[in-house]
Amino acid sequence: MLKLSDLNVCSKDDFVAALANVFEYSPWVAGQAAALRPFAGAGQLLAAMTAAVERAPDELRLALIRAHPDLASKTQRAASLTAESGAEQNSAGLDRLSDAEYEAFERANSAYRSKFGFPYIVCVRRHTRDSVLRDFERRLPNDAKTEAQASIVEICRIAALRLDQLVASDDKLPVHGRLSTHVLDTHSGRPAAGISVELTELSDLGEPRVVARATTNQDGRTDQPLIGGRPVPIGRYELTFNVGAYFADRGVPMSDPPFLDRIPLRFSVSDPEGHLHVPLLVTPWGYATYRGS
Amino acid sequence: MLKLSDLNVCSKDDFVAALANVFEYSPWVAGQAAALRPFAGAGQLLAAMTAAVERAPDELRLALIRAHPDLASKTQRAASLTAESGAEQNSAGLDRLSDAEYEAFERANSAYRSKFGFPYIVCVRRHTRDSVLRDFERRLPNDAKTEAQASIVEICRIAALRLDQLVASDDKLPVHGRLSTHVLDTHSGRPAAGISVELTELSDLGEPRVVARATTNQDGRTDQPLIGGRPVPIGRYELTFNVGAYFADRGVPMSDPPFLDRIPLRFSVSDPEGHLHVPLLVTPWGYATYRGS
Amino acid sequence: MLKLSDLNVCSKDDFVAALANVFEYSPWVAGQAAALRPFAGAGQLLAAMTAAVERAPDELRLALIRAHPDLASKTQRAASLTAESGAEQNSAGLDRLSDAEYEAFERANSAYRSKFGFPYIVCVRRHTRDSVLRDFERRLPNDAKTEAQASIVEICRIAALRLDQLVASDDKLPVHGRLSTHVLDTHSGRPAAGISVELTELSDLGEPRVVARATTNQDGRTDQPLIGGRPVPIGRYELTFNVGAYFADRGVPMSDPPFLDRIPLRFSVSDPEGHLHVPLLVTPWGYATYRGS
Amino acid sequence: MLKLSDLNVCSKDDFVAALANVFEYSPWVAGQAAALRPFAGAGQLLAAMTAAVERAPDELRLALIRAHPDLASKTQRAASLTAESGAEQNSAGLDRLSDAEYEAFERANSAYRSKFGFPYIVCVRRHTRDSVLRDFERRLPNDAKTEAQASIVEICRIAALRLDQLVASDDKLPVHGRLSTHVLDTHSGRPAAGISVELTELSDLGEPRVVARATTNQDGRTDQPLIGGRPVPIGRYELTFNVGAYFADRGVPMSDPPFLDRIPLRFSVSDPEGHLHVPLLVTPWGYATYRGS
């Protein structure tokens, strides 16, 4: 990572080179921000760059929008994706789509491009496959002006995440969310240690995708959040807890087969930058969950 | 259905003809019971028949065991299944097995028959596909004497269910279980009416199978139990509640997408003749369930 | 109890004598209803009597209001209370008030009588001591016309309850509520049998008053509802469950002293004719309750 | 507070003077520990002092026991209590006992002293009034040797707490517990802010005593633990939450009076050095609690 303190003092050329792709194929944004150095923090740097975009003339903003690739396009994958765009699309699983999903994305891209004349842009690191398609359906009926503005908003979100990964600074950009869990064994009145937990991203058109596996520690929590240090993608999830094995290991009397074995909690994430806590209170005969904080 | 009062007074031949297949292809059981008429109730009639089986010489009991078909055998389906056996096997979905399941059943049948010299018998109306296979695995290591006795126990369970369907009597044979649910909306403090509920039988080797669909009434219950008037098959189930639509219809503020939408409860049934109540206490932000009664 | 069928055919004098005090010291109400016999049910009889009151001239209605005693008045107790009024006031504990409560009632009565010129009337069998005082505070600011009408409403409620106790009929007047409980042991997955339960009416000015004691049966319920066959008085209650002894008797490992011992649930009743169910789901380490139905 | 680093280098006399009353009226304990300086931490210092007690001859240990005052004795209060003993007894409310409690303590003291010839000693900062009396009842049947040893254990606990208050060191003696709460509003899916919470110590013989009041913050927690930085006294407690006002302030539809208003949770503390978390999950129509961690 680059240090903000170094970026504050290097040559303008070096500065622009370093931040050229924070806005896709658009080094001019960094170029305008360079003049405003030094920056007290990453937040100030981001603000300077987004301000440059906001005040740019319409044609330039449109060119910025058009500089972005189509989502999940096989043709573009082989060719012109920036490393950043590629990594972002992979993070959402867009490189491993089912046939039905590919088709849905292609349909979405063409419909959008033919209506507006520019590609559909969304900050995919804040989304799952399903929520991208859902977002597309919501935006397609809009008019071009609304969509141009919506695209700029998404582009700035993409830029914030790229900057967060690129530049080390004392302040933290508010781009990270967290998804955590906690298992409390209300049969014995203790945190439940040693429970295997699995987090799966669900999809309407494709296969579910396991995105985290962990085992609860002595405090009934996982050592790391299930998702952390990045946005929690908007979407539907299933979190399963292997409580049958846990209670069997402890010699707790149960029915055969056990009334509860693998408990699934199904929920949606709507706020990628929020802290979502999904705990489980459990005995062999019942359980409760709720959106915690 | 036949009236017990009629069976108590008809000719022995008619009595035996009517009850010939309560024990598969073994009218002699009815024949012995005929002499003990009149019966005060179906329970007494069943007891007389099972007592006849219990005191029969070993060869006759073995012949009774051998009179039973293999489970889920394609060859026998085409040929010699009694109507009763066919209906029973279909009730457990044995006529709609996946390839992997068929294979597993064939392996089980051959292994069992070649070890013991008689078919593997289980009262399938008390089981799901998975629990039949699990039961087989548990019984295969036994010795022949244990298995002959286990087969008689299962045959008597089959007979009890056949008698229950065949003969009308004031007393009820204790062969029926019940699976029910109840949804309480703890957001508004009222029973949740109009929630669609779906009960699915899960399987390790085959597809899940929807076994009941219902909508909750004004009392938050379903008008009929999800399963009732028969044993609740041993096995794993998923019960889903469409709470997202319910709260949306009531204008309750929710996140987008809603934190909770279709809530799955996954549990196992271990006591087919028991009353199992699986309620849901729910708000848009959390829920609880437990084995009720 | 009198049979409605007898009342339908007896002389007018007997009819009026029998129902003279359904409306306090006002046999004329029964007198008018007598002409409309026969009645198909108690509901029809009640409707005839309340209709007579509704259409009575204002002076007669005022006389009816004035025929009622003051609540909890020591002077009137010694003298002129009808048996019905006395029993009703006692049912709400108005004969066992603390000094502070007596004083509050006296203040309420005088303030009300001096403002309106007639006694404060409320159907006390639908109330606790506290809710009577609260009702008084709410009504005192009203104008005389509103209060005259409110008094008639209360008088008709009193009449409905008196009729319900006096006349046997096939139909049931909708004057009974029910308060019930249910204890589910989610540690062992069974209804909790043998738990002692105590229901206490709470009061701001006086002592709490135990109104029901029971022990849970095999189904985790009480054999009789905690309150049933009468209105559930509006007010604040505490329901305590002796779960410490229950779990200790079953040899469940607990801390010393046990984390949970006597669990109090404190709640209010607002609908005397409703069915209020207050269950407890409990392990030695946690519990849940909710307004059920 | 004294710094351990200073105690490590001061004169033996100063050292002994400073720690003279860590063990009641027994400077010889500090005297023996002085020779072992320097100590790496408070834990090591405590270990040296308790080791001195452990290896002391029986007469000296008995003298140490006899140097302690009777609990809650009015006579001794007026006279010879060390400042430390006085403060400790006050912390448990032993200076504000009801008459019944005083009497119970006097009875306990005399019975104990006349059986064993030395005073009943318990580390009162780990106890409530009730649990002291309960502890006494448990110990009175013991033999003298067991009680001499039990007294030494309690004396060492007292010493640990005195040392913890007296000496500043990098390490923390494990003498502090914590009692905390958390309110989650599962009606709106958010932490419940602004709820007033009150913690009351319950007593069989005396009045309840409010020991903490707080209001929940934006995270649904209290800014400080309800009890922290000291042992959580063994005993029975009631924690009440004013949820009626909270939901009313938010305009949530409720019954009148509200079904839930002040919710009491009654529980016992058994492990004074443990972390006990007692959360509340609540809607206007139900709630749950459990021993968390």
Side-chain angles (χ1 to χ4, degrees):
Chain A
M1 285 181 81
L2 308 165
K3 286 192 194 159
L4 179 63
S5 50
D6 293 343
L7 288 173
N8 272 334
V9 296
C10 67
S11 72
K12 180 177 172 181
D13 281 1
D14 286 354
F15 180 86
V16 171
L19 305 181
N21 275 334
V22 167
F23 286 81
E24 185 91 356
Y25 288 123
S26 303
W28 60 267
V29 184
Q32 294 199 13
L36 299 168
R37 292 182 295 170
F39 298 108
Q44 228 179 58
L45 167 55
L46 177 63
M49 295 182 85
T50 57
V53 170
E54 289 298 337
R55 74 172 170 261
D58 282 357
E59 318 85 78
L60 197 50
R61 289 155 56 92
L62 195 58
L64 170 60
I65 292 172
R66 290 205 169 114
H68 284 77
D70 281 346
L71 275 186
S73 153
K74 281 175 178 170
T75 331
Q76 289 182 327
R77 292 213 144 249
S80 58
L81 240 52
T82 57
E84 287 84 352
S85 277
E88 286 157 7
Q89 298 205 8
N90 295 357
S91 80
L94 301 191
D95 55 336
R96 283 153 297 168
L97 296 178
S98 71
D99 289 348
E101 288 173 322
Y102 254 122
E103 218 171 286
F105 271 91
E106 299 257 316
R107 251 199 322 272
N109 281 329
S110 330
Y112 190 96
R113 189 180 273 278
S114 75
K115 171 163 181 188
F116 298 112
F118 50 79
Y120 164 71
I121 301 175
V122 70
C123 177
V124 288
R125 293 189 67 208
R126 300 176 75 250
H127 284 273
T128 56
R129 297 159 289 169
D130 272 31
S131 71
V132 167
L133 288 172
R134 212 158 146 262
D135 181 70
F136 159 79
E137 277 159 30
R138 211 162 6 191
R139 285 167 54 184
L140 187 60
N142 290 345
D143 61 31
K145 197 174 159 190
T146 305
E147 273 309 295
Q149 187 49 38
S151 300
I152 295 295
V153 167
E154 293 296 322
I155 287 168
C156 290
R157 285 173 167 161
I158 294 168
L161 282 163
R162 290 182 180 179
L163 209 57
D164 174 68
Q165 291 192 310
L166 202 56
V167 176
S169 164
D170 286 345
D171 63 331
K172 276 302 203 182
L173 295 174
V175 292
H176 296 178
R178 190 175 62 210
L179 173 60
S180 58
T181 190
H182 184 196
V183 189
L184 210 88
D185 168 356
T186 51
H187 182 270
S188 73
R190 271 184 290 239
I195 293 211
S196 15
V197 176
E198 196 174 271
L199 179 69
T200 304
E201 176 197 318
L202 302 179
S203 165
D204 282 337
L205 292 174
E207 290 296 302
R209 196 160 70 102
V210 176
V211 292
R213 283 199 181 86
T215 301
T216 56
N217 58 26
Q218 287 305 312
D219 197 30
R221 303 177 192 272
T222 58
D223 289 338
Q224 303 300 324
L226 296 166
I227 296 180
R230 59 178 178 101
V232 183
I234 297 169
R236 291 186 305 118
Y237 295 86
E238 183 168 294
L239 188 55
T240 58
F241 299 85
N242 194 349
V243 303
Y246 168 81
F247 285 117
D249 286 353
R250 298 171 63 90
V252 173
M254 291 193 283
S255 56
D256 178 25
F259 179 61
L260 299 174
D261 190 7
R262 290 180 185 273
I263 294 179
L265 306 182
R266 227 171 268 166
F267 59 88
S268 285
V269 167
S270 57
D271 174 15
E273 288 79 26
H275 291 181
L276 178 59
H277 184 60
V278 183
L280 180 73
L281 312 175
V282 66
T283 80
W285 309 105
Y287 61 93
T289 189
Y290 54 92
R291 187 174 82 159
S293 64
Chain B
M1 283 181 81
L2 307 166
K3 286 193 193 158
L4 180 63
S5 50
D6 293 343
L7 288 174
N8 271 333
V9 297
C10 67
S11 73
K12 180 177 173 183
D13 281 0
D14 285 355
F15 180 87
V16 171
L19 305 181
N21 274 334
V22 168
F23 286 81
E24 184 91 356
Y25 287 124
S26 303
W28 60 267
V29 184
Q32 293 199 14
L36 299 168
R37 293 182 294 172
F39 297 108
Q44 228 177 59
L45 167 55
L46 177 63
M49 295 183 87
T50 56
V53 171
E54 289 298 337
R55 73 171 171 262
D58 283 356
E59 317 84 78
L60 197 52
R61 289 156 56 92
L62 195 58
L64 170 60
I65 294 172
R66 290 204 169 114
H68 285 75
D70 281 346
L71 276 185
S73 153
K74 284 176 176 168
T75 331
Q76 289 181 328
R77 291 211 147 252
S80 58
L81 240 53
T82 57
E84 287 86 350
S85 278
E88 286 156 6
Q89 298 204 9
N90 295 357
S91 81
L94 301 192
D95 56 337
R96 284 152 297 169
L97 296 178
S98 70
D99 289 349
E101 287 173 323
Y102 253 122
E103 217 172 286
F105 271 91
E106 299 258 317
R107 253 200 320 274
N109 280 330
S110 331
Y112 191 95
R113 190 180 272 281
S114 77
K115 172 164 180 186
F116 297 113
F118 49 78
Y120 165 71
I121 301 174
V122 70
C123 176
V124 289
R125 293 189 67 209
R126 301 177 74 249
H127 284 273
T128 56
R129 297 158 291 168
D130 272 32
S131 71
V132 167
L133 288 172
R134 211 158 145 262
D135 181 70
F136 159 79
E137 277 160 29
R138 214 167 0 196
R139 284 167 54 185
L140 187 61
N142 290 344
D143 61 31
K145 197 173 160 191
T146 304
E147 273 309 296
Q149 187 49 38
S151 300
I152 295 295
V153 167
E154 293 296 323
I155 286 168
C156 290
R157 285 172 166 161
I158 294 168
L161 282 163
R162 290 182 179 177
L163 209 56
D164 174 69
Q165 291 193 308
L166 202 56
V167 176
S169 165
D170 286 346
D171 63 331
K172 276 301 200 183
L173 294 175
V175 293
H176 296 177
R178 188 173 65 211
L179 173 59
S180 59
T181 190
H182 184 196
V183 189
L184 210 88
D185 168 356
T186 51
H187 182 271
S188 73
R190 272 184 289 239
I195 293 211
S196 18
V197 176
E198 195 173 272
L199 179 69
T200 305
E201 176 196 318
L202 303 179
S203 164
D204 281 337
L205 293 175
E207 290 296 301
R209 196 159 71 102
V210 175
V211 291
R213 281 198 181 87
T215 301
T216 55
N217 57 25
Q218 287 305 311
D219 197 31
R221 304 176 193 273
T222 58
D223 289 338
Q224 303 299 324
L226 295 166
I227 296 180
R230 61 178 177 100
V232 184
I234 297 170
R236 291 186 306 118
Y237 295 86
E238 184 168 295
L239 189 55
T240 59
F241 300 85
N242 194 351
V243 303
Y246 168 81
F247 284 116
D249 287 351
R250 297 172 64 89
V252 173
M254 291 193 284
S255 57
D256 178 24
F259 178 60
L260 299 175
D261 190 8
R262 290 179 185 273
I263 293 179
L265 305 183
R266 228 171 267 165
F267 59 88
S268 286
V269 168
S270 57
D271 174 16
E273 288 79 26
H275 292 182
L276 178 59
H277 184 61
V278 183
L280 181 73
L281 312 174
V282 66
T283 80
W285 309 105
Y287 61 93
T289 188
Y290 53 92
R291 187 175 82 161
S293 64
Chain C
M1 283 180 82
L2 308 165
K3 287 192 193 159
L4 180 63
S5 50
D6 293 344
L7 289 172
N8 273 332
V9 297
C10 67
S11 73
K12 181 178 172 182
D13 281 0
D14 285 354
F15 181 86
V16 171
L19 306 182
N21 274 334
V22 167
F23 286 81
E24 185 89 356
Y25 288 123
S26 303
W28 60 266
V29 184
Q32 294 200 15
L36 298 168
R37 292 182 293 169
F39 298 109
Q44 230 177 58
L45 167 54
L46 177 64
M49 295 182 87
T50 57
V53 171
E54 290 298 339
R55 74 173 170 262
D58 282 356
E59 318 83 78
L60 197 50
R61 289 155 56 92
L62 195 57
L64 171 60
I65 293 173
R66 291 205 169 113
H68 285 75
D70 280 347
L71 275 185
S73 154
K74 283 175 178 170
T75 330
Q76 289 182 327
R77 292 214 146 251
S80 57
L81 240 54
T82 57
E84 288 85 350
S85 278
E88 286 157 8
Q89 297 204 11
N90 295 357
S91 80
L94 301 190
D95 55 338
R96 284 152 297 169
L97 296 178
S98 69
D99 289 349
E101 288 173 323
Y102 253 123
E103 217 171 285
F105 272 90
E106 298 258 315
R107 251 199 322 272
N109 280 330
S110 330
Y112 190 96
R113 188 180 274 280
S114 76
K115 172 163 182 187
F116 298 113
F118 49 78
Y120 164 71
I121 300 174
V122 70
C123 176
V124 289
R125 294 188 68 208
R126 301 176 74 251
H127 284 273
T128 57
R129 298 159 288 168
D130 272 32
S131 71
V132 167
L133 288 171
R134 212 158 145 262
D135 181 70
F136 159 79
E137 278 160 29
R138 214 166 2 197
R139 284 168 53 186
L140 187 60
N142 291 343
D143 62 28
K145 196 172 162 192
T146 305
E147 273 309 295
Q149 187 49 39
S151 300
I152 296 295
V153 167
E154 294 296 323
I155 287 168
C156 290
R157 284 172 167 162
I158 295 167
L161 283 163
R162 289 182 181 178
L163 209 55
D164 174 68
Q165 291 192 309
L166 203 56
V167 176
S169 164
D170 286 346
D171 64 331
K172 277 299 200 185
L173 294 174
V175 292
H176 295 177
R178 189 174 62 210
L179 173 59
S180 58
T181 190
H182 184 197
V183 189
L184 211 88
D185 168 358
T186 51
H187 182 270
S188 73
R190 272 184 290 238
I195 292 210
S196 16
V197 175
E198 196 174 271
L199 179 69
T200 305
E201 177 197 317
L202 302 179
S203 164
D204 281 338
L205 292 174
E207 290 296 301
R209 196 160 69 103
V210 176
V211 292
R213 282 198 181 86
T215 300
T216 56
N217 57 25
Q218 287 305 312
D219 196 32
R221 304 177 192 273
T222 59
D223 288 339
Q224 302 300 325
L226 295 167
I227 295 179
R230 59 178 179 100
V232 184
I234 296 169
R236 290 186 307 117
Y237 295 87
E238 183 168 295
L239 189 55
T240 58
F241 300 85
N242 194 350
V243 304
Y246 167 81
F247 285 117
D249 286 352
R250 298 172 62 88
V252 173
M254 291 193 284
S255 56
D256 177 25
F259 179 60
L260 299 174
D261 191 8
R262 289 180 187 273
I263 294 178
L265 305 183
R266 229 171 267 165
F267 59 89
S268 286
V269 168
S270 57
D271 175 16
E273 288 79 27
H275 292 181
L276 178 58
H277 184 61
V278 184
L280 181 72
L281 311 175
V282 66
T283 80
W285 310 104
Y287 60 93
T289 189
Y290 54 92
R291 188 176 82 159
S293 62
Chain D
M1 283 181 82
L2 307 166
K3 286 192 193 159
L4 180 63
S5 50
D6 293 343
L7 288 173
N8 272 334
V9 296
C10 67
S11 73
K12 180 178 171 181
D13 280 1
D14 286 356
F15 180 87
V16 171
L19 305 181
N21 274 334
V22 168
F23 287 81
E24 185 90 356
Y25 288 123
S26 302
W28 59 268
V29 184
Q32 293 200 15
L36 299 167
R37 291 182 295 170
F39 298 109
Q44 231 178 56
L45 167 55
L46 177 63
M49 295 183 85
T50 56
V53 171
E54 289 298 338
R55 71 171 172 262
D58 282 357
E59 316 85 78
L60 197 51
R61 289 156 56 95
L62 195 57
L64 170 60
I65 293 172
R66 290 204 169 116
H68 284 77
D70 281 346
L71 277 185
S73 154
K74 283 174 178 170
T75 330
Q76 290 183 325
R77 292 213 146 250
S80 57
L81 240 53
T82 57
E84 287 85 350
S85 277
E88 287 156 7
Q89 298 204 8
N90 296 356
S91 79
L94 300 192
D95 55 337
R96 284 153 296 168
L97 297 178
S98 70
D99 289 347
E101 288 173 321
Y102 253 123
E103 216 170 287
F105 272 91
E106 299 257 315
R107 251 199 322 274
N109 281 329
S110 331
Y112 191 95
R113 189 181 274 278
S114 75
K115 172 164 181 187
F116 298 113
F118 50 78
Y120 164 72
I121 302 173
V122 70
C123 177
V124 289
R125 295 189 65 208
R126 301 177 73 248
H127 284 273
T128 56
R129 299 158 289 169
D130 272 32
S131 71
V132 167
L133 287 171
R134 212 158 145 263
D135 181 69
F136 159 79
E137 277 159 30
R138 210 162 7 192
R139 284 167 54 185
L140 187 61
N142 290 343
D143 62 30
K145 198 174 159 190
T146 304
E147 273 309 294
Q149 186 50 38
S151 301
I152 296 294
V153 167
E154 293 297 322
I155 287 169
C156 290
R157 284 173 168 161
I158 295 167
L161 282 162
R162 290 182 179 179
L163 209 57
D164 174 69
Q165 292 192 309
L166 202 57
V167 176
S169 164
D170 287 346
D171 64 332
K172 278 301 201 181
L173 294 175
V175 293
H176 296 177
R178 190 174 62 210
L179 173 60
S180 58
T181 189
H182 185 197
V183 189
L184 210 88
D185 168 356
T186 51
H187 181 270
S188 73
R190 272 184 290 238
I195 293 210
S196 17
V197 176
E198 195 173 271
L199 179 68
T200 304
E201 177 197 317
L202 303 179
S203 164
D204 282 337
L205 293 174
E207 290 297 301
R209 197 159 68 102
V210 175
V211 291
R213 281 198 183 86
T215 300
T216 55
N217 57 25
Q218 288 305 313
D219 196 30
R221 304 176 193 273
T222 58
D223 288 339
Q224 303 300 324
L226 296 166
I227 295 180
R230 59 179 178 99
V232 184
I234 296 170
R236 290 186 306 118
Y237 296 87
E238 183 168 295
L239 189 56
T240 58
F241 300 84
N242 194 350
V243 303
Y246 167 82
F247 285 117
D249 286 352
R250 298 172 62 90
V252 174
M254 290 193 285
S255 57
D256 178 24
F259 178 60
L260 299 175
D261 190 7
R262 289 180 186 273
I263 294 179
L265 305 183
R266 227 170 268 166
F267 59 88
S268 285
V269 168
S270 56
D271 174 16
E273 288 79 27
H275 293 181
L276 178 59
H277 185 60
V278 183
L280 181 72
L281 312 175
V282 66
T283 81
W285 308 105
Y287 60 94
T289 188
Y290 55 90
R291 187 175 82 159
S293 63

